[in-house]
Amino acid sequence: KIIENILIILLILLGIFSAVALSLCLVNGLETYVRQHIALHYRKILTKKAFANNELRTHEGHQQRVQEDCRDYPLLALDLLQYVCMQAILVIYFIYVIWYQAGLLYVAIPIIYGTVGTGLSYYIAHPLIQLNYINQVLEAAFRQSLSKVHYGRVHRNNHKMFKKTKHLQYFQYFYSQISVIFPYLILSPLYFTGVIVFGVLMQVASTIAHLTDSLGSIVTNFDKINKMLSCRRRLKELGVI
């Protein structure tokens, strides 16, 4: 009888797990479809506005800019919006957990760390927005003319862009490596003074690591942000947005 009850409970739990797993699959698939459908509808609106602009043909490389930017901008904007919303929810949850287990001070320190990291990342990476925009313009001009002069301009701008990207990647790698040991550095006084035990140390350190990752979203996703801002700028020039 006991074995039968255990089997019944296992079957019930397996059924619940299967239902939850299938529901998650359905939600994820539907979420992707809805996001792509919204982006497609927005692309249609942007493309119509571009076609309605009588001065569209005066812009260099307008064919490629309308085709690519009207396609990429909605997808990039929606992806980033969804990502930011998810990270905001996680940040609220992590702040609550850290506040409850370690106190307000250990909430403030990761927030300051993430804010400083984001500010430094913006300072280092900000020139890339302009360089990426110029690169798109020069590539369009070279594609139309295929001349040595235009290629020289593309080559020089690419060199500048790659150099700035190198600086940004240095900082991104440095930030990510420091983030690994950062939670243990700030929590070690609590542990060595006996305020918290080792198990709590590991739990809070893991939560702080997740919090700093969420707060550093701009640092780690600047490439996508940069591409979206460049698309937006080109679409504004075309009179689309």
Side-chain angles (χ1 to χ4, degrees):
K1 188 66 176 180
I2 296 176
I3 296 177
E4 291 180 359
N5 291 335
I6 293 174
L7 289 175
I8 292 172
I9 293 173
L10 288 175
L11 289 174
I12 293 173
L13 293 175
L14 181 61
I16 294 173
F17 173 80
S18 300
V20 172
L22 291 173
S23 299
L24 288 175
C25 292
L26 178 63
V27 169
N28 287 332
L30 184 62
E31 175 269 327
T32 302
Y33 170 77
V34 171
R35 187 175 72 251
Q36 291 176 339
H37 187 74
I38 294 173
L40 182 62
H41 178 70
Y42 193 25
R43 178 187 181 183
K44 182 179 179 181
I45 294 174
L46 295 177
T47 305
K48 282 185 175 181
K49 287 183 178 180
F51 289 159
N53 185 1
N54 295 326
E55 298 180 355
L56 179 66
R57 296 183 180 278
T58 61
H59 295 277
E60 194 170 33
H62 64 278
Q63 302 97 329
Q64 178 251 350
R65 293 169 69 178
V66 170
Q67 185 265 323
E68 288 190 2
D69 293 337
C70 290
R71 177 199 64 198
D72 293 342
Y73 178 70
L75 285 171
L76 289 168
L78 287 173
D79 285 346
L80 287 172
L81 178 62
Q82 180 192 26
Y83 182 77
V84 167
C85 291
M86 292 179 62
Q87 295 304 313
I89 294 172
L90 291 174
V91 164
I92 294 172
Y93 170 74
F94 294 143
I95 286 176
Y96 171 77
V97 173
I98 297 170
W99 195 338
Y100 177 78
Q101 291 187 321
L104 180 59
L105 176 63
Y106 295 93
V107 172
I109 294 175
I111 291 177
I112 294 172
Y113 174 77
T115 302
V116 172
T118 300
L120 290 174
S121 175
Y122 175 80
Y123 175 77
I124 296 170
H126 185 260
L128 279 171
I129 299 174
Q130 176 69 10
L131 290 171
N132 187 62
Y133 166 77
I134 294 173
N135 185 65
Q136 294 292 333
V137 175
L138 294 178
E139 289 284 4
F142 175 61
R143 186 164 45 248
Q144 287 185 331
S145 65
L146 292 180
S147 67
K148 293 182 178 179
V149 174
H150 284 93
Y151 176 74
R153 294 172 181 170
V154 169
H155 184 84
R156 287 191 294 271
N157 188 74
N158 276 326
H159 181 72
K160 294 177 182 178
M161 189 166 60
F162 296 157
K163 187 175 181 179
K164 282 295 178 183
T165 301
K166 178 185 67 175
H167 295 161
L168 176 61
Q169 288 179 341
Y170 281 156
F171 179 75
Q172 287 175 328
Y173 292 140
F174 174 79
Y175 182 88
S176 63
Q177 293 301 316
I178 293 297
S179 297
V180 175
I181 62 173
F182 174 73
Y184 301 98
L185 291 176
I186 65 174
L187 290 173
S188 58
L190 292 180
Y191 175 70
F192 288 114
T193 55
V195 177
I196 59 175
V197 297
F198 183 76
V200 175
L201 169 68
M202 297 303 295
Q203 291 177 358
V204 179
S206 176
T207 307
I208 291 177
H210 288 305
L211 177 60
T212 54
D213 285 343
S214 297
L215 292 172
S217 298
I218 295 178
V219 179
T220 54
N221 289 275
F222 183 80
D223 292 340
K224 186 177 287 188
I225 295 172
N226 182 21
K227 187 175 181 181
M228 186 202 72
L229 293 176
S230 299
C231 287
R232 180 177 177 82
R233 181 172 176 178
R234 290 193 295 271
L235 290 174
K236 286 183 71 175
E237 285 190 348
L238 294 176
V240 176
I241 56 176

